[in-house]
Amino acid sequence: MVELEEVEDPELQAPQPGPTDDDDDSADYTDTDSSISTSSLNPSAFQSETISERILALRDMVSPSTRRRISSTTSQFTKLVKGGALWGGKGLWILTASALMVGVPWAMAFVEEQQVMEMEREQRARESAGEVLAPGATTSQAGTQGRAPL
């Protein structure tokens, strides 16, 4: 059988440089790894920055896989909206063209029928008025309705 023996490294046991928990100076410790320090902040630099620059700066905060997912979802949504708008436009064109091709002739025929009915009503009113003025009178010529012969 194989026998394992633990070998200790003296460097791992040596104390490491840096602040310790029992130091009184640990409250004064500040992070020096920060790329922006509070003394270098210039408020006028933020005012000149546009919203598009700020949004583009957020790109670094989002992981590439999340960006790909957002991008694919956005492109799918855009394709869906474009397809819906295209389909809706074609449907609206079909409805409008059909309404014009069928509706306009129907409306004209309907108006013409109403005019014919109105003319017939006027004709009946003339005949009844002629009978009231001269009962039993007949017309001898076409177009001279309601008048007694001379």
Side-chain angles (χ1 to χ4, degrees):
M1 274 200 66
V2 178
E3 194 173 309
L4 295 176
E5 182 180 333
E6 184 178 351
V7 178
E8 294 185 20
D9 190 6
E11 287 185 23
L12 291 176
Q13 301 301 326
Q16 296 189 4
T20 59
D21 291 337
D22 59 340
D23 285 345
D24 291 335
D25 297 335
S26 64
D28 297 334
Y29 175 75
T30 58
D31 185 11
T32 57
D33 293 338
S34 175
S35 62
I36 300 174
S37 66
T38 56
S39 62
S40 67
L41 291 178
N42 184 3
S44 64
F46 292 120
Q47 292 173 351
S48 65
E49 189 176 40
T50 63
I51 189 74
S52 61
E53 290 172 342
R54 289 184 179 198
I55 291 173
L56 286 174
L58 291 175
R59 179 177 55 190
D60 297 334
M61 296 176 67
V62 180
S63 67
S65 62
T66 306
R67 282 191 301 214
R68 272 192 300 273
R69 187 168 17 105
I70 291 171
S71 174
S72 68
T73 303
T74 305
S75 67
Q76 288 174 354
F77 178 72
T78 304
K79 286 179 186 178
L80 181 69
V81 168
K82 283 181 181 179
L86 184 63
W87 186 82
K90 286 181 180 181
L92 189 61
W93 173 260
I94 289 170
L95 288 175
T96 305
S98 298
L100 287 174
M101 291 171 54
V102 173
V104 171
W106 179 83
M108 291 178 69
F110 182 76
V111 168
E112 184 179 334
E113 182 67 27
Q114 291 294 322
Q115 288 175 345
V116 168
M117 289 173 62
E118 184 65 29
M119 288 173 55
E120 288 174 354
R121 199 175 309 133
E122 287 177 12
Q123 181 68 28
R124 277 186 260 133
R126 282 187 197 146
E127 287 176 2
S128 66
E131 293 233 352
V132 170
L133 293 176
T138 59
T139 59
S140 61
Q141 295 178 347
T144 59
Q145 301 165 353
R147 284 195 224 164
L150 296 171

